Amino acid sequence: MVKGNVAEKDKYFFDIRTRMTGETQLRARRTRMKILKAIADRNGSAGFSEIKDATDLSTGSIYYHLERMVVYVTKRSKHYHITKEGLQLLDQNAPVATR
């Protein structure tokens, strides 16, 4: 626990929450880049199993992120397709996707 007055303690905990939120967002971004890369590497179209095999992510994690990537990935039949916006995002963040 941080010693000091209440304002100092509040600042300490606010900084931790902010840092944790930033780290969480970075992890989500990296996960989404992995998914986009997995799809792009298969000529822009991949089935769920192909995405899972390429990323080593859990089923729940993949579904969670795909649901939030509707601008970048579309689903037709049983395949996910990367959109023009998804390709642009992947190009802009290429170093992130390879980590």
Side-chain angles (χ1 to χ4, degrees), residues 1-17:
M1 190 75 180
V2 175
K3 294 182 181 181
N5 67 32
V6 174
E8 288 173 350
K9 291 177 185 175
D10 287 345
K11 182 183 179 315
Y12 172 78
F13 288 112
F14 176 77
D15 289 345
I16 286 178
R17 283 194 305 269

Side-chain angles (χ1 to χ4, degrees), residues 27-47:
R27 277 195 302 274
R29 181 176 167 195
R30 286 182 177 159
T31 298
R32 292 172 188 174
M33 291 298 109
K34 282 183 184 181
I35 292 170
L36 286 176
K37 186 171 180 348
I39 298 169
D41 286 350
R42 285 155 186 77
N43 295 319
S45 176

Side-chain angles (χ1 to χ4, degrees), residues 52-96:
K52 187 168 177 22
D53 291 343
T55 61
D56 289 327
L57 296 169
S58 70
T59 298
S61 180
I62 295 169
Y63 279 124
Y64 174 85
H65 290 285
L66 283 170
E67 287 175 3
R68 285 151 182 81
M69 297 170 62
V70 295
V71 172
Y72 308 109
V73 177
T74 60
K75 183 178 181 188
R76 292 189 298 267
S77 187
K78 293 185 177 186
H79 280 83
Y80 294 89
H81 302 269
I82 193 166
T83 65
K84 180 177 76 171
E85 292 83 5
L87 287 171
Q88 289 171 346
L89 183 65
L90 192 58
D91 286 342
Q92 293 169 356
N93 294 285
V96 174

